[in-house]
Amino acid sequence: MAKQLINLENINVSFDQAGNTVQAVKDASLQVEQGEIYGVVGYSGAGKSTLVRVINLLQLPTSGKVEINGEVLFEKKDGVTKQIGTKELREKRRNIGMIFQHFNLLEEKTVIRNVEFALKHSKKKEKEVTAQALKLLKLVGLEDRKDFYPAQLSGGQQQRVAIARALANDPDILISDEATSALDPKSTTQILDLLKRLNKELGLTIVLITHQMEAVKQVADKIAVMSSGEIIERGELVDVFTHPQKELTKELIGTQGELKKAIHLLDKDAIQRLNHEEWELAHLTYTGTNVVDPIAAKLYKDFDVEVSIIFGNVDELRGTPVGTLFVTLKGAKDNREKAIAYLKKAGVDVEEYSSREVIA
Amino acid sequence: MSEFAHLMPNVVHLGWLGQNGWLTSIGQTLYMTFWAALFGGVIGLIFGVGLVIFDKGGIAENRVLFNIFDKIVSIVRAIPFIILLAFIAPVTQAIVGTQIGPTAALVPLSLCVIPFYARQVQAAISSVDKGKIEAAQSLGATVPDLIFDVYLREASSELIRVTTVTLISLIGMTAMAGAIGAGGLGNTAIAYGYNQFSNDITLVATLLVLILVVFVQLTGDVLAKATSHSHR
Ligand SMILES: Nc1ncnc2c1ncn2[C@@H]1O[C@H](COP(=O)(O)OP(=O)(O)OP(=O)(O)O)[C@@H](O)[C@H]1O
Ligand SMILES: [Mg+2]
């Protein structure tokens, strides 16, 4: 088992604002193992940023325990607070890189000075600092822009500088708070590919906060879903995507939207038919590719169930293809039941929709 | 030259040098402006930075220090300059040994610059994006790093702008101080121009102050632009 690098236990964070208390994070626990890319998703205001800012104590929790690499940085239980000193905390922070939605580069410093700034307190000599900064700029492919100012770079390039800066002290952990949210799709892909590469090549552990599902789909190993300060669902990426438990998760993943689309695509006749005993709408989800083709034939031959595809989609989750099919099934009720049982046994996730849901 | 002497007899009469000479009064104005800007500017800068870092949510949050800084700045700022001049005369006497002349004027001038500049510095560095501070903190930056590399450096262009504004209003104050015997162009304009009905002197003194102000403004604009890299 891999080493547990981040351990947040029962974290609560509340803010006092003009007499009102906002509980931004509620009893959230998060464990991240070395080498993982952990996605944290949820709507705006869910508490994602607040929770991850607790990792390097940019945000002090109201209660809970923060343990990084086996060392307790903060613990507050039963009114007793333990916290490491400011000097140590600064050193710990250098082991936790962080990148942000708006890059937050120093605009009055050149690219290389931005990276060198991160190395200000390293024990390296000036020459080594410059060499290290250059090495990092090379890593993100920007060594030729070292004397540019941030404003002279594109958003994607600025984010790469921010990554170089965050990695200057060879951290074990990188926290990415909406790092791709302000970027166009192409730059987003570039940044995500870079993060994936850093994860593979340097063994960097990454906590990726985003509201872009596409981003977690491309890179995350595990995800946690946050809502109103709580982590409501978590697990391996593929599991959560193929078997979402909570309504909110389904909504985020887009299952709801797909259902609407499927219904939209059904013509009036088809909707009428769904009212009939022998018809139903089903949503099939499966991993791997070789499942698709034989399904329809098999269901017809063995169970006398006719399958017609309304629409289908193949997604990639961290390289694993995940198929989604909205189909109508036609056949006698128990035949359909048998067919669905068969599908489930074959590893296909089936969600059935009653005609009432469809018509509503 | 003779035509000029004919046109502005009193201006010429004052001469270049001597106790009332033009060069002398220009020199006094520059002297007061420079030293008051230096003393008042440095202390004002410290106050301005303090007001930001000690504030609630600041990088070195400290309620007591913040309140002290805030109260001092507010109170001194509330006293009109001309009253301050009179009010601190005994202090001036104790520090510089006299209550009149350009050096004596430095005490009230500096004192007046402090809160004026402090508030503007406070506004300038508060405009630095909080995200930059947070990013620097995530890199393990110390409080001095945050002050010098982030706040002051990132706001440098804005700081030059507010320094320009402060210098210009300081030049105005030196003229006022001139009115109560501090010397300088203000003194010339009032004592030899206005009081002796020598309009030519008033006119020339005004023009010289104006040239000084425009020079400071233009220099400030150029410098502010040159130090800014936040736009392409
Ligand atoms: N410093 C603060 N003071 C007061 N309230 C805060 C503060 N920071 C966050 N909050 C509140 O805490 C809640 C969670 O905010 P947070 O920024 O963690 O959400 P988020 O999930 O990151 O949202 P987004 O996707 O918009 O970034 C919000 O209701 C927010 O208003
Ligand atoms: Mg956020």
Side-chain angles (χ1 to χ4, degrees):
Chain A
M1 210 183 111
K3 191 169 66 169
Q4 187 173 289
L5 211 50
I6 302 173
N7 178 28
L8 302 182
E9 278 177 28
N10 309 103
I11 300 292
N12 282 290
V13 181
S14 46
F15 296 107
D16 279 321
Q17 257 187 342
N20 285 332
T21 304
V22 182
Q23 180 123 26
V25 176
K26 290 175 204 155
D27 200 31
S29 297
L30 188 72
Q31 281 75 34
V32 182
E33 285 171 13
Q34 187 155 40
E36 271 180 345
I37 301 186
Y38 208 119
V40 179
V41 301
Y43 287 118
S44 187
K48 309 180 293 292
S49 299
T50 308
L51 179 65
V52 297
R53 288 169 74 257
V54 164
I55 296 173
N56 59 3
L57 294 187
L58 281 177
Q59 175 66 55
L60 284 180
T62 320
S63 68
K65 177 170 154 188
V66 182
E67 194 178 30
I68 305 296
N69 214 348
E71 202 176 329
V72 178
L73 305 193
F74 179 97
E75 186 166 16
K76 187 169 179 183
K77 248 200 308 218
D78 312 320
V80 186
T81 312
K82 270 193 291 179
Q83 195 183 333
I84 63 161
T86 33
K87 188 158 178 283
E88 287 160 288
L89 175 58
R90 280 200 296 272
E91 264 148 37
K92 293 284 174 251
R93 280 180 177 164
R94 292 181 194 126
N95 189 35
I96 308 171
M98 194 162 186
I99 54 174
F100 307 85
Q101 179 170 4
H102 299 295
F103 327 128
N104 297 348
L105 294 172
L106 298 176
E107 288 171 290
E108 303 297 352
K109 289 189 196 298
T110 58
V111 162
I112 189 150
R113 296 270 177 259
N114 264 281
V115 182
E116 286 174 356
F117 173 68
L119 293 162
K120 194 161 183 173
H121 299 277
S122 81
K123 292 183 182 63
K124 292 190 170 85
K125 294 201 191 71
E126 207 180 306
K127 260 200 189 135
E128 296 169 311
V129 164
T130 308
Q132 167 80 351
L134 271 176
K135 190 186 98 187
L136 286 156
L137 288 176
K138 210 167 273 171
L139 183 72
V140 300
L142 284 173
E143 71 271 33
D144 57 331
R145 300 292 157 98
K146 70 183 177 65
D147 295 321
F148 281 51
Y149 283 92
Q152 297 170 308
L153 303 179
S154 74
Q157 289 170 329
Q158 289 190 49
Q159 195 59 287
R160 282 189 277 153
V161 176
I163 291 172
R165 180 176 72 169
L167 298 180
N169 292 295
D170 291 320
D172 292 324
I173 300 166
L174 179 71
I175 300 171
S176 160
D177 190 352
E178 303 276 6
T180 56
S181 300
L183 301 177
D184 61 61
K186 196 171 152 223
S187 310
T188 298
T189 308
Q190 276 177 354
I191 295 292
L192 291 175
D193 285 346
L194 176 61
L195 292 182
K196 216 160 30 174
R197 209 182 86 212
L198 295 170
N199 169 255
K200 265 214 194 87
E201 290 174 9
L202 310 177
L204 190 66
T205 305
I206 300 177
V207 180
L208 187 91
I209 304 156
T210 180
H211 57 253
Q212 297 168 314
M213 283 300 134
E214 283 309 312
V216 285
K217 271 200 230 168
Q218 281 177 48
V219 299
D221 298 304
K222 290 187 184 157
I223 70 166
V225 181
M226 280 192 84
S227 168
S228 316
E230 287 173 273
I231 297 180
I232 56 165
E233 190 163 353
R234 72 180 89 209
E236 297 284 334
L237 175 80
V238 178
D239 289 346
V240 174
F241 264 79
T242 51
H243 304 279
Q245 304 299 312
K246 297 284 197 313
E247 278 311 306
L248 181 96
T249 313
K250 290 179 193 170
E251 204 177 297
L252 279 168
I253 293 170
T255 329
Q256 306 294 357
E258 286 188 334
L259 174 63
K260 284 210 185 83
K261 185 171 157 194
I263 293 167
H264 186 74
L265 286 172
L266 288 171
D267 52 38
K268 277 218 177 65
D269 289 352
I271 289 175
Q272 285 308 313
R273 272 182 271 138
L274 284 174
N275 263 331
H276 195 274
E277 279 274 287
E278 293 209 328
W279 290 76
E280 73 174 292
L281 178 67
H283 175 199
L284 314 182
T285 314
Y286 51 90
T287 49
T289 38
N290 50 359
V291 210
V292 194
D293 290 342
I295 285 180
K298 177 97 181 167
L299 292 195
Y300 187 62
K301 212 169 73 196
D302 292 7
F303 304 103
D304 199 20
V305 171
E306 272 179 53
V307 180
S308 38
I309 296 172
I310 302 164
F311 85 87
N313 185 18
V314 179
D315 236 349
E316 215 174 84
L317 291 178
R318 263 235 128 182
T320 311
V322 174
T324 292
L325 276 183
F326 278 89
V327 295
T328 52
L329 302 176
K330 184 192 170 211
K333 194 162 190 279
D334 36 320
N335 282 352
R336 289 201 323 260
E337 269 165 19
K338 275 184 216 147
I340 286 166
Y342 162 80
L343 285 172
K344 283 185 173 161
K345 232 174 104 191
V348 178
D349 195 42
V350 183
E351 187 144 2
E352 298 164 75
Y353 296 100
S354 70
S355 56
R356 202 178 311 133
E357 276 175 278
V358 175
I359 288 154
Chain B
M1 191 65 210
S2 64
E3 217 164 286
F4 184 73
H6 183 68
L7 216 61
M8 301 193 163
N10 302 308
V11 170
V12 174
H13 182 72
L14 276 186
W16 289 112
L17 301 166
Q19 207 197 331
N20 312 324
W22 286 101
L23 277 184
T24 309
S25 55
I26 293 172
Q28 286 169 337
T29 294
L30 293 177
Y31 170 87
M32 287 187 284
T33 307
F34 179 80
W35 289 106
L38 193 68
F39 295 137
V42 169
I43 302 173
L45 185 67
I46 293 170
F47 269 78
V49 169
L51 284 169
V52 173
I53 65 172
F54 297 140
D55 198 1
K56 194 159 181 280
I59 57 169
E61 190 173 328
N62 187 321
R63 237 202 157 104
V64 176
L65 283 177
F66 176 81
N67 278 325
I68 292 174
F69 275 37
D70 191 51
K71 292 292 176 303
I72 291 178
V73 166
S74 297
I75 290 169
V76 180
R77 184 109 169 75
I79 306 174
F81 177 60
I82 207 86
I83 293 174
L84 189 75
L85 272 178
F87 184 67
I88 62 149
V91 181
T92 307
Q93 175 84 43
I95 297 177
V96 290
T98 172
Q99 291 183 24
I100 48 168
T103 307
L106 289 183
V107 179
L109 284 172
S110 305
L111 201 61
C112 209
V113 166
I114 293 169
F116 187 84
Y117 195 50
R119 284 290 178 222
Q120 300 208 57
V121 167
Q122 181 188 16
I125 65 179
S126 312
S127 69
V128 171
D129 188 346
K130 284 236 161 23
K132 290 179 184 171
I133 294 290
E134 184 152 276
Q137 283 177 322
S138 80
L139 297 166
T142 59
V143 170
D145 293 343
L146 295 170
I147 293 174
F148 292 103
D149 281 297
V150 187
Y151 276 134
L152 296 181
R153 187 71 193 86
E154 290 297 299
S156 55
S157 167
E158 194 52 32
L159 284 171
I160 288 172
R161 239 170 248 127
V162 303
T163 305
T164 308
V165 171
T166 305
L167 277 176
I168 289 172
S169 78
L170 176 59
I171 293 168
M173 287 191 285
T174 64
M176 245 194 276
I180 63 147
L185 289 166
N187 185 49
T188 303
I190 306 257
Y192 309 115
Y194 182 76
N195 289 348
Q196 301 182 5
F197 305 101
S198 305
N199 291 334
D200 55 339
I201 290 183
T202 313
L203 179 71
V204 171
T206 308
L207 282 177
L208 288 173
V209 171
L210 204 66
I211 290 170
L212 190 57
V213 167
V214 169
F215 173 76
V216 168
Q217 182 72 61
L218 291 180
T219 312
D221 287 350
V222 169
L223 284 178
K225 203 155 180 205
T227 46
S228 169
H229 298 97
S230 58
H231 298 283
R232 280 167 217 240

